[in-house]
């Protein structure tokens, strides 16, 4: 419905945004097991998505249409946090005042009745690795990151990596999730779940420019890429409100479901397992085919673990 109203012949670019939104709302404590018997292989709902299309292909509008409902929920969480932090600060000021008086009068310290509320995030736009670390301390479920022009982000990571920085490798670890222990001078932090679903948009020229010198470490290979077809005339009609409301309910349901401290498996069904095996047979044959460039072969070999 959204793609048609915006003049796109393909709903894929919108679906990329919806996939990112669902991953951002879902708790990483829920995971799937791609094998039927060996349940040690676990995959979280952490998918990376890119819309790739020329300028004026509406790729950004299409992608952002898919994440708009998640941004609405995120705005509600921010508004609630602002109110909660205001209430907390008022109580904290009273506590500090009472604590100071107790110390001065050599009396027992008062009990702090309220803990600082966490700031929950679903989607963020601008990020640095240093800024993400405190975010993860309050968001154990995992988060979503959306950047419109993703080429600049990847180029920066490559440049810093050449200079010896670790930002590129830290971003790669966002796909793996799990516990991350970070040691800094006079500081040591443990992040329970270092996980983020990434999404954004690129032009074909930008994709080519970063592909030429891209390291074979699996950064670009982790993304699902949707090639955006040229758009036609848009359609001026009301959106399908029943479909839009149903989609938003899905996101709100995902956000409301918490795995807690326990982890909850969602095993593959037999049909899904058969599809995976057939796909991997094709991928293996393709990666070993004569004439396939080494970089392409390395890309294909990373399909299964990602």
């Amino acid at each position: 419905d959204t793609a048609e109203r915006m003049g796109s012949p393909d709903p894929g670019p919108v679906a990329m945004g919806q996939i990112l939104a669902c991953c951002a709302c879902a708790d990483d404590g829920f995971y799937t097991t791609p094998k039927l018997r060996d349940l040690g292989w676990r995959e979280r709902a952490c998918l990376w998505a890119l819309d790739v299309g020329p300028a004026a292909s509406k790729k950004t509008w299409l992608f952002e249409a898919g994440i708009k409902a998640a941004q609405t929920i995120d705005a509600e969480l921010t508004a609630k946090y602002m109110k909660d932090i205001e209430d907390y600060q008022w109580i904290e000021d009273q506590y500090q005042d009472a604590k100071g008086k107790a110390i001065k009068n050599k009396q027992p310290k008062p009990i702090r009745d309220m803990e600082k509320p966490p700031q929950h995030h679903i989607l963020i736009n601008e990020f640095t690795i240093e800024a993400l670390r405190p975010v993860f301390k309050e968001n154990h479920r995992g988060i979503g990151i959306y950047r419109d022009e993703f080429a600049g982000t990847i180029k920066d990571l490559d440049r810093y990596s050449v200079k010896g920085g670790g930002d590129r490798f830290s971003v790669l670890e966002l796909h793996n999730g799990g516990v991350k222990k970070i040691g800094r001078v006079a500081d040591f932090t443990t992040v329970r779940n270092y996980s983020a679903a990434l999404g954004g948009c690129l032009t074909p020229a930008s994709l080519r420019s970063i592909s030429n010198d891209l390291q074979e470490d699996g950064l670009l290979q982790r993304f699902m890429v949707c090639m955006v077809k040229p758009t036609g005339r848009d359609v001026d009609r009301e959106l399908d409100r029943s479909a839009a409301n149903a989609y938003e309910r899905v996101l709100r349901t995902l956000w409301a479901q918490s795995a807690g401290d326990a982890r909850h498996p969602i095993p593959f069904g037999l049909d899904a397992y058969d599809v995976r095996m057939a796909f991997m047979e094709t991928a293996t044959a393709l990666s070993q085919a004569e004439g396939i460039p080494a970089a392409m072969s390395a890309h294909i070999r990373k399909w299964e673990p990602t």
Side-chain angles (χ1 to χ4, degrees):
D1 174 68
T2 299
E4 186 179 89
R5 285 185 296 104
M6 298 180 74
S8 173
D10 181 8
V14 182
M16 292 294 102
Q18 292 179 318
I19 287 170
L20 176 65
C22 288
C23 292
C25 288
D27 190 334
D28 277 2
F30 298 101
Y31 62 88
T32 186
T33 52
K35 293 185 177 181
L36 299 181
R37 299 177 185 85
D38 181 2
L39 305 183
W41 180 10
R42 302 173 178 181
E43 293 290 343
R44 307 162 353 273
C46 185
L47 303 175
W48 293 9
L50 280 178
D51 276 355
V52 179
S57 62
K58 299 182 181 178
K59 59 183 179 297
T60 298
W61 291 2
L62 292 164
F63 196 105
E64 291 184 354
I67 64 174
K68 185 176 180 180
Q71 291 173 321
T72 298
I73 302 172
D74 191 89
E76 295 172 0
L77 293 173
T78 300
K80 182 179 183 304
Y81 170 77
M82 297 302 293
K83 181 181 182 303
D84 290 345
I85 199 67
E86 184 178 347
D87 294 342
Y88 164 78
Q89 194 59 58
W90 186 80
I91 294 175
E92 181 67 11
D93 290 344
Q94 287 187 316
Y95 166 78
Q96 293 296 341
D97 184 57
K99 178 183 175 182
K101 291 179 180 178
I103 294 174
K104 182 179 180 179
N105 297 324
K106 297 181 179 181
Q107 296 176 343
K109 296 178 183 179
I111 299 174
R112 183 183 268 114
D113 295 327
M114 185 177 183
E115 295 294 329
K116 183 179 179 181
Q119 184 173 8
H120 295 299
H121 297 279
I122 294 179
L123 282 169
I124 63 175
N125 300 114
E126 297 291 335
F127 77 96
T128 63
I129 294 301
E130 291 295 331
L132 281 180
R133 286 162 185 156
V135 170
F136 286 126
K137 292 188 69 175
E138 296 183 324
N139 293 267
H140 307 313
R141 301 165 57 99
I143 62 172
I145 299 175
Y146 167 69
R147 292 291 303 272
D148 180 15
E149 295 296 334
F150 222 90
T153 300
I154 297 178
K155 284 184 177 180
D156 285 344
L157 294 173
D158 285 338
R159 181 164 61 248
Y160 297 150
S161 181
V162 170
K163 292 181 179 180
D167 282 2
R168 180 186 182 88
F169 305 106
S170 294
V171 169
L172 283 167
E173 289 177 337
L174 292 174
H175 194 274
N176 301 331
V179 177
K180 182 177 177 67
K181 296 185 177 181
I182 304 166
R184 293 291 183 269
V185 176
D187 180 49
F188 190 88
T189 302
T190 298
V191 175
R192 285 177 52 187
N193 185 29
Y194 189 79
S195 169
L198 271 61
C201 302
L202 287 173
T203 63
S206 296
L207 182 60
R208 283 192 294 270
S209 69
I210 63 175
S211 297
N212 290 337
D213 301 320
L214 198 63
Q215 302 176 31
E216 294 182 4
D217 57 9
L219 179 62
L220 186 60
Q221 292 90 330
R222 281 166 167 75
F223 284 95
M224 294 183 298
V225 178
C226 178
M227 303 304 294
V228 182
K229 299 177 181 178
T231 54
R233 178 176 296 180
D234 56 22
V235 179
D236 185 11
R237 60 168 170 76
E238 268 195 61
L239 78 160
D240 186 335
R241 295 192 179 276
S242 62
N245 292 338
Y247 170 54
E248 185 170 332
R249 283 197 300 272
V250 168
L251 295 183
R252 291 186 181 276
T253 299
L254 288 172
W255 177 254
Q257 291 176 332
S258 174
D261 292 332
R263 297 182 65 83
H264 297 272
I266 303 172
F268 265 33
L270 184 58
D271 290 346
Y273 176 80
D274 290 341
V275 170
R276 184 182 77 82
M277 295 306 295
F279 173 80
M280 288 315 305
E281 286 180 9
T282 302
T284 300
L286 184 60
S287 68
Q288 297 173 353
E290 293 183 6
I292 295 290
M296 184 65 179
S297 179
H299 183 116
I300 296 171
R301 290 197 301 272
K302 290 184 181 291
W303 284 353
E304 181 169 17
T306 57

